[in-house]
């Protein structure tokens, strides 16, 4: 939501699944897009700073979620073995 409540929840769940991480990443991207639209609408007004601050909070969260997703995906089949049958 506008207050970033899902972001706080996203940061709490360590060892989460790929779908959960992707869902949180999608929500963060949507929040960033919303803040950008709000920033453009309020550019040049006192409210502009609020949207800039929100964007500055969301971008590190997005980077963390992207990193977490990359690690989850790369570790998905790390213990898999190739079996070749003749």
């Amino acid at each position: 939501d506008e207050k970033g409540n899902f972001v706080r929840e996203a940061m709490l769940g360590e060892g989460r699944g790929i779908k959960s991480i992707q869902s949180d990443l999608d929500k963060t991207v949507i929040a960033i897009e919303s803040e950008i639209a709000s920033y453009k609408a309020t550019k040049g007004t006192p409210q502009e700073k609020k949207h800039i601050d929100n964007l500055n909070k969301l971008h590190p969260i997005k980077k963390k979620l992207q990193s977490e997703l990359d690690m989850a995906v790369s570790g998905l089949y790390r213990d898999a073995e190739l079996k070749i049958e003749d």
Side-chain angles (χ1 to χ4, degrees):
D1 62 18
E2 290 181 9
K3 296 179 183 177
N5 289 331
F6 73 89
V7 173
R8 276 186 243 115
E9 293 170 12
M11 303 302 281
L12 296 177
E14 293 298 322
R16 301 176 300 140
I18 292 173
K19 287 183 181 181
S20 175
I21 298 167
Q22 183 64 51
S23 174
D24 291 340
L25 180 59
D26 291 343
K27 290 176 185 176
T28 303
V29 169
I30 290 168
I32 289 171
E33 290 171 352
S34 174
E35 284 298 324
I36 289 172
S38 297
Y39 164 76
K40 288 178 180 178
T42 60
K43 194 170 183 175
T45 67
Q47 295 171 336
E48 174 184 27
K49 185 178 180 335
K50 178 182 88 168
H51 299 296
I52 292 171
D53 291 342
N54 288 341
L55 286 167
N56 287 335
K57 290 175 187 174
L58 287 169
H59 279 289
I61 293 168
K62 178 185 169 199
K63 286 183 181 181
K64 180 190 178 297
L65 288 169
Q66 285 175 325
S67 174
E68 186 179 355
L69 182 61
D70 288 344
M71 290 182 65
V73 169
S74 68
L76 190 60
Y77 297 108
R78 70 174 169 259
D79 294 331
E81 293 181 20
L82 177 63
K83 292 185 179 182
I84 301 175
E85 296 181 19
D86 293 331

